[in-house]
Amino acid sequence: MDLSEKLQRHLIKNKYEKAPGIKFKKILLSNEYTENEDRETEYVYKTYSIPNERKDNRCDKEHLIEWIKEKVTPYLEKGHDVILIDNGFGVQVTILDTEKMLEFFLNSKSHLGLSIINRSLKKFLNIQKEEYDFLFFIRDI
């Protein structure tokens, strides 16, 4: 692990230790993902896969945040251990308050988007921006 990666991991750790609605556990190493998690995240990120749903991204930010919350909230219950993907790092946290967690996560980034692995439900959720749409993926892992 080089100095740049150590610094990034330290900054992410500080960010999530102070984040509302979650309890920080750790930042995962690349070998701590299951084979299914690796396969499904790679499939969504690196291939043209068909999303479960699309949303026009030309509407206002508040409307997009509400749409994202509507899509992911059923998979993010209090007490679940989830992995939030942030700049390529997997951050393992326990959800204490879903609403506060989503507010923090969606408003702390310069762009909207979300990638979450819920190991309890064996689901990978991803919302990413394309040129004209936001794409919502839900994959079994």
Side-chain angles (χ1 to χ4, degrees), residues 1-12 87 89:
M1 187 180 325
D2 65 2
L3 184 58
S4 172
E5 185 177 343
K6 285 182 182 180
L7 179 61
Q8 284 182 307
R9 291 173 75 81
H10 179 71
L11 293 172
I12 289 172
N87 290 325
F89 293 97

Side-chain angles (χ1 to χ4, degrees), residues 56-132:
D56 188 339
N57 68 19
R58 293 169 284 193
C59 60
D60 64 19
K61 184 176 180 177
E62 290 77 27
H63 185 72
L64 287 171
I65 287 174
E66 287 305 312
W67 177 75
I68 291 170
K69 286 180 181 178
E70 177 186 311
K71 293 291 154 201
V72 300
T73 299
Y75 303 99
L76 302 175
E77 296 179 17
K78 180 180 178 179
H80 278 194
D81 283 346
V82 298
I83 300 165
L84 305 172
I85 310 296
D86 189 340
N87 290 325
F89 293 97
V91 182
Q92 188 171 4
V93 301
T94 300
I95 299 172
L96 304 175
D97 185 321
T98 304
E99 186 70 25
K100 285 181 183 177
M101 182 205 79
L102 286 173
E103 284 294 325
F104 167 77
F105 199 71
L106 294 173
N107 290 315
S108 68
K109 299 170 91 175
S110 60
H111 65 281
L112 289 176
L114 192 63
S115 289
I116 298 173
I117 296 171
N118 186 327
R119 287 181 169 168
S120 302
L121 299 177
K122 298 191 182 301
K123 299 286 183 188
F124 170 60
L125 309 169
N126 178 267
I127 295 180
Q128 60 189 8
K129 184 178 180 183
E130 273 197 344
E131 189 173 354
Y132 299 110

